[in-house]
Each structure stands twice: as structure tokens, then as C-alpha cells.
């Protein structure tokens, strides 16, 4: 039996796992920090760390079909070039596919981590059985992927499905990407925490007042405990999510919205305002007829399982 090797390159950790076809329990799995410890006098570069990690799980007695990689940034799936990796300085226009193929001598596939997380949810997780699915992960940023007519949308240069960077307020607040007014600048965890800090600075009462830096998790907990400002923050984020998702419904008409990421743990305090804004914004109520909102099945494993899904999809096991 051959193995599929899946790799997730995170800003903080690299992970690699070997899978058998049709089985989500890895044969072997390993992880290590993306960067060498800062005290190391001769820090090993991230690419060498990645090579070592993959080699550490390489099966001794089984062939490898493919290595598939979830990468933290825009990738061109046709050339296998990672355009820019979030949180890995120096990884710009990195020919990752070519370099890994040369080293390991097996085919290598590359995908954007959020797109692959969508693929993983669709093949193995919350979106199984649907043909039209939109996936969002809301944490410090907003990642997304779209399954349209039973295919993962990638676009001409692999840049499709960046729902976090839809403009919701022209010339609005600055987004993590540097441009203004994007959804991520209003509904990500970073944006939620920043808004609460600003309102407190403006004199609004809140159980979170007191000068400590505020996290999205703290806002979520305070909202669940009844803090009006924190509830308003999630309402505001949910409203902008609904406005952006109404546009997404108009374009893709999905039957499932799969939502993951830390901020989605806020539950109804976020999703009820989102649902209401969606209802107000779709121009035909039938967009909502068959639409189900589902929590993502995979948390931190989403990228790894998505990479496995890509490998198994492109290189199906011999029947
Ligand atoms: Zn942006």
C-alpha cells in the first residue's frame, strides 16, 4: 500500500503526516516549529527544517504516491510557486513544488491553506455530500475557499476565493493586507478586539475596561457573560459578515456555509446578526431556501487534512 504525505506549513509550526487512502488517521505524524529557536547560533532555515520533518515520517517499507502541501499564502497551483508566505521572511516567489520534487523524487502538489481546508471539509468533513459550498475560517484573519459545481475554485493564478478581502466599507479601516475597508478589517478576531479597545478608549463601559490588551477570545467570553459592549462587537462583526456573504450567495448560490476558526466559537452571538443581515441583503429569498450553516469539522488539522484531500483527489488510489 502506498502513502500520501500531507504537509501543513504554518507561520508557527510545520506539520507532516503520512496517510493511507480513505483513512483520516495518519500512519505517522510529526511537527516542529517553523523557525529555529532564537538562541540557536546556527539557525536552520525553514526549508531545511521542512525537508527534515518530511524525511522523519517517510515510510521505510511503503512507496509514497505524492506529497501535497498546504501553504500559508497565495500559491500558483499550476507552477507550484508560493508567491509569499505569511510569517516566513524570505519566502517570496519560492518554487516549493520544484524544490521538494527534486529532493524527494515524487510528485508534489501545492495549495493555499484556506482553499485546501475548504477541500478537506468538503471531501471529509462538514461539507460532505454538497456540490456547492463556501468555507470561511475566522481567526486573526479571515481565510476562505469555495467549492463550486463540485470543484475547488482556484482561478487563473490560484488567487480566487479571498472572501476576507471583499470591500464592505469603501475607504474604511485598514486591513491586515494593507488595503482599506475589507471584511477582515471588520469581522476578524483582530478587528473585533481592536474595535472593543477603541470603544473603551472612547469611554464606553465594559467589563474588559482596565488597560490590558484585549483578545478576540476575551471579547467572546465577556459577550457570553453578558457584557453589552462585547455583545455589540460580535453583532457588528456578524452584520458585516452577513453583508459580504450576501454577495457571495449572489455569485455562488451555495447550499452550505461551513465556518471555522476561533471567532466562530462565539456561536449565536455572532451568527444570529449574520443571519439577519443575510436575510436583509439577499435580493431573492430563495438563496436561503436550502442553505445550511455548519461548524467546520476540523480545527488545527484543517490544512493537513485538506492537503491529504488534494493528494488523494489528484492521485486516486488504484481500484
Ligand atoms: Zn484585506
Amino acid at each position: 500500500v502506498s502513502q500520501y504525505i500531507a504537509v501543513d506549513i504554518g507561520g508557527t509550526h510545520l506539520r507532516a503526516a503520512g496517510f493511507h487512502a480513505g483513512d483520516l488517521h495518519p500512519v505517522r505524524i510529526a511537527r516542529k516549529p517553523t523557525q529555529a529557536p532564537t538562541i540557536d547560533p546556527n539557525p536552520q532555515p525553514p526549508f531545511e527544517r521542512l525537508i527534515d520533518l518530511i524525511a522523519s515520517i517517510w515510510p521505510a517499507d511503503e512507496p509514497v504516491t505524492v506529497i501535497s502541501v498546504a501553504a500559508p499564502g497565495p500559491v500558483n497551483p499550476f507552477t507550484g510557486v508560493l508567491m509569499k508566505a505569511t510569517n516566513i521572511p524570505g519566502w517570496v516567489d519560492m518554487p516549493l513544488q520544484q524544490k521538494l520534487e527534486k529532493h524527494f523524487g515524487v510528485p508534489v502538489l501545492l495549495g493555499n491553506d484556506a482553499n485546501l481546508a475548504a477541500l478537506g471539509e468538503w471531501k471529509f468533513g462538514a461539507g460532505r455530500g454538497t456540490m456547492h459550498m463556501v468555507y470561511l475560517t475566522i481567526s486573526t484573519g479571515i481565510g476562505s475557499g469555495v467549492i463550486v459545481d463540485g470543484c475547488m475554485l482556484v482561478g487563473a493564478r490560484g488567487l480566487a476565493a479571498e472572501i476576507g478581502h471583499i470591500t464592505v466599507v469603501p475607504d474604511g479601516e485598514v486591513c491586515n493586507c494593507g488595503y482599506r475597508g475589507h471584511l477582515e478589517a471588520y469581522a476578524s478576531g483582530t478587528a473585533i478586539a481592536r474595535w472593543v479597545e477603541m470603544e473603551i478608549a472612547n469611554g464606553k463601559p465594559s467589563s474588559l475596561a482596565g488597560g490590558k490588551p484585549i483578545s478576540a477570545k476575551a471579547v467572546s467570553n465577556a459577550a457570553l457573560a453578558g457584557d453589552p459592549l462585547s455583545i455589540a462587537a460580535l453583532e457588528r462583526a456578524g452584520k458585516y459578515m452577513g453583508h459580504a456573504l450576501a454577495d457571495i450567495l449572489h455569485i455562488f448560490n451555495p447550499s452550505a456555509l461551513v465556518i471555522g476558526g476561533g471567532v466562530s466559537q462565539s456561536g449565536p452571538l455572532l451568527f444570529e446578526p449574520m443571519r439577519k443581515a443575510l436575510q436583509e441583503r439577499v435580493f431573492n429569498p430563495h438563496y436561503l431556501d436550502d442553505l445550511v450553516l455548519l461548524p467546520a469539522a476540523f480545527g488545527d488539522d484543517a490544512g493537513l487534512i485538506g492537503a491529504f484531500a488534494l493528494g488523494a483527489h489528484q492521485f486516486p488510489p488504484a481500484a
Side-chain angles (χ1 to χ4, degrees):
V1 195
S2 79
Q3 286 189 28
Y4 294 83
I5 290 190
V7 176
D8 184 31
I9 301 174
T12 57
H13 281 88
L14 307 169
R15 300 203 301 155
F19 292 94
H20 285 141
D23 186 354
L24 290 185
H25 299 287
V27 184
R28 288 182 78 182
I29 185 163
R31 61 181 251 159
K32 66 160 75 177
T34 306
Q35 305 283 355
T38 45
I39 49 158
D40 198 326
N42 289 308
Q44 191 186 28
F47 182 72
E48 284 179 24
R49 299 172 68 75
L50 180 64
I51 295 275
D52 283 358
L53 183 72
I54 295 170
S56 78
I57 61 145
W58 199 267
D61 47 3
E62 288 179 333
V64 170
T65 303
V66 60
I67 300 170
S68 44
V69 181
V75 303
N76 186 325
F78 309 106
T79 61
V81 171
L82 172 57
M83 293 171 221
K84 192 175 190 310
T86 318
N87 296 336
I88 308 179
W91 280 30
V92 177
D93 292 330
M94 164 79 147
L96 199 55
Q97 178 182 21
Q98 199 190 0
K99 289 179 79 159
L100 288 174
E101 279 182 350
K102 194 168 161 222
H103 192 276
F104 288 103
V106 299
V108 171
L109 299 168
L110 204 54
N112 167 264
D113 52 7
N115 285 355
L116 293 189
L119 186 69
E121 289 289 344
W122 177 54
K123 288 267 179 194
F124 302 125
R128 252 176 325 173
T130 65
M131 286 291 278
H132 315 277
M133 184 198 105
V134 170
Y135 166 82
L136 287 176
T137 173
I138 319 168
S139 54
T140 51
I142 295 181
S144 54
V146 173
I147 305 297
V148 55
D149 293 327
C151 285
M152 180 176 73
L153 182 70
V154 286
R157 283 188 171 262
L159 294 169
E162 288 289 352
I163 295 172
H165 304 284
I166 284 180
T167 300
V168 290
V169 180
D171 304 319
E173 304 203 23
V174 178
C175 181
N176 293 326
C177 71
Y179 288 83
R180 285 189 177 274
H182 293 171
L183 178 63
E184 188 168 298
Y186 288 85
S188 63
T190 315
I192 291 169
R194 187 174 58 194
W195 186 79
V196 169
E197 281 183 342
M198 209 179 62
E199 291 294 299
I200 289 172
N202 288 337
K204 290 270 170 61
S206 167
S207 61
L208 295 173
K212 272 197 297 183
I214 289 166
S215 66
K217 177 96 186 125
V219 174
S220 180
N221 288 339
L224 289 167
D227 177 50
L229 184 65
S230 297
I231 292 170
L234 294 176
E235 254 174 33
R236 178 177 179 272
K239 185 187 81 171
Y240 284 115
M241 291 272 300
H243 289 177
L245 285 174
D247 292 346
I248 292 301
L249 263 48
H250 293 151
I251 300 169
F252 298 111
N253 186 18
S255 59
L257 287 177
V258 175
I259 304 194
V263 175
S264 68
Q265 308 289 327
S266 303
L269 289 169
L270 180 72
F271 292 128
E272 281 314 310
M274 183 184 103
R275 207 187 293 269
K276 189 159 158 275
L278 259 184
Q279 278 162 354
E280 287 165 5
R281 293 284 172 137
V282 290
F283 77 86
N284 183 321
H286 294 307
Y287 283 106
L288 304 173
D289 283 352
D290 307 311
L291 182 69
V292 289
L293 182 69
L294 302 165
F298 309 118
D300 291 343
D301 294 336
L304 205 58
I305 288 173
F308 172 40
L310 178 69
H313 181 74
Q314 299 278 337
F315 292 85

